[in-house]
Amino acid sequence: MLTYDMTNTYKGMGVSSGLDRGVQVYYDNILILEEGMGLGACALQTKGYTYFTTIKKINKKEEGKFEVFLEIDQQLVWNILGMNARLITQMLEKLTTSIYMKQEKRQKSYLKLGNLLRKVFRVRSCFITVAKQADIVMAVVMGGNRVDIDLSLKTQVKDVNRKFFVMNELSGNHFNKGLVNGTVRPPPTGWQKIDANVELYSQKLNIAFSMAEKQIPENVTSTLYWGRESISDSYCWAGFESELSWNTQQFDHYKYVINFKEVTL
């Protein structure tokens, strides 16, 4: 049986340890996130850096309904040999956006190489609290086999190349298979653009989940991805991601739904 919760107590594991999560998903009262960011986790990429959210307030309106207020104020900086390296961080962000995300067939090789280099140079992720980059209001309705999310954002950041990411990630160990038009296949390693009817499937739990957009604001352009990463104790997630671009200082009511279903194959 699936249940859901919205708190800021679970801080994750692996490279994203310490960040606030989105909606947490439980199966028979066992949390199935591991390193995954949960449902509705957000990040802003601008001017060579990526920033994540801090939950400021959670209002429980009624059973299964929450209003969450967040600020984007956690900057990712890679720590190399014990020192924070901002220039290296910007280079890695550029490589991720320009090469890794666009070369889907080589992502598995890049992941293995990246993991080796992290071990050799003792690279660690570090999240630094900085000035607020944006405000987010998230309305969540959860229950049964679905979670509905409604996001609005306001920012003072002026950058024509900025990107806003909405992550919906669960455990990579549990969700280790993909379903493409109902056929079982290995899920993408890393992120891959969605161009078919795709789901992430857990053989262990006999459940699958998928994402469907319900409303895209007029000033927003959206690209959807799905994928999975599972590397030792650093990365362990499987999920869906929206990459949003917009041409004003805010957008209102980007809406989507995460659907779960029982699958026996």
Side-chain angles (χ1 to χ4, degrees), residues 81-178:
L81 297 173
M83 298 181 291
N84 288 340
R86 293 185 177 274
L87 180 59
I88 298 297
T89 297
Q90 289 183 313
M91 291 174 59
L92 290 173
E93 291 288 332
K94 184 69 173 179
L95 287 172
T96 299
T97 303
S98 302
I99 299 177
Y100 177 76
M101 291 287 287
K102 294 181 179 179
Q103 298 192 25
E104 298 171 355
K105 293 182 179 180
R106 298 181 180 180
Q107 286 181 357
K108 188 173 183 179
S109 298
Y110 291 152
L111 279 173
K112 290 182 178 179
L113 176 61
N115 194 51
L116 175 62
L117 292 175
R118 278 192 294 273
K119 290 180 179 179
V120 171
F121 293 101
R122 290 185 286 150
V123 178
R124 299 288 183 270
S125 56
C126 181
F127 299 99
I128 300 172
T129 300
V130 296
K132 180 177 64 176
Q133 305 294 302
D135 291 292
I136 300 170
V137 179
M138 179 170 69
V140 183
V141 180
M142 59 185 82
N145 289 325
R146 63 184 285 163
V147 176
D148 290 82
I149 292 179
D150 178 342
L151 285 165
S152 298
L153 175 143
K154 186 175 183 180
T155 181
Q156 297 301 316
V157 174
K158 295 181 180 180
D159 176 10
V160 295
N161 297 313
R162 66 193 174 184
K163 299 288 185 181
F164 183 68
F165 299 95
V166 184
M167 297 161 282
N168 301 279
E169 302 173 351
L170 301 181
S171 162
N173 281 327
H174 284 95
F175 292 90
N176 60 344
K177 297 292 181 181

Side-chain angles (χ1 to χ4, degrees), residues 19 27 34 47 58 80 88 99 104 116 120 123 125-126 135 138 151 181 225 229 243 248 255 260:
L19 292 174
Y27 183 85
E34 291 186 302
K47 299 178 181 178
I58 301 174
I80 301 174
I88 298 297
I99 299 177
E104 298 171 355
L116 175 62
V120 171
V123 178
S125 56
C126 181
D135 291 292
M138 179 170 69
L151 285 165
N181 296 323
Y225 297 84
E229 291 181 348
E243 180 185 301
T248 61
K255 300 180 181 180
F260 292 88

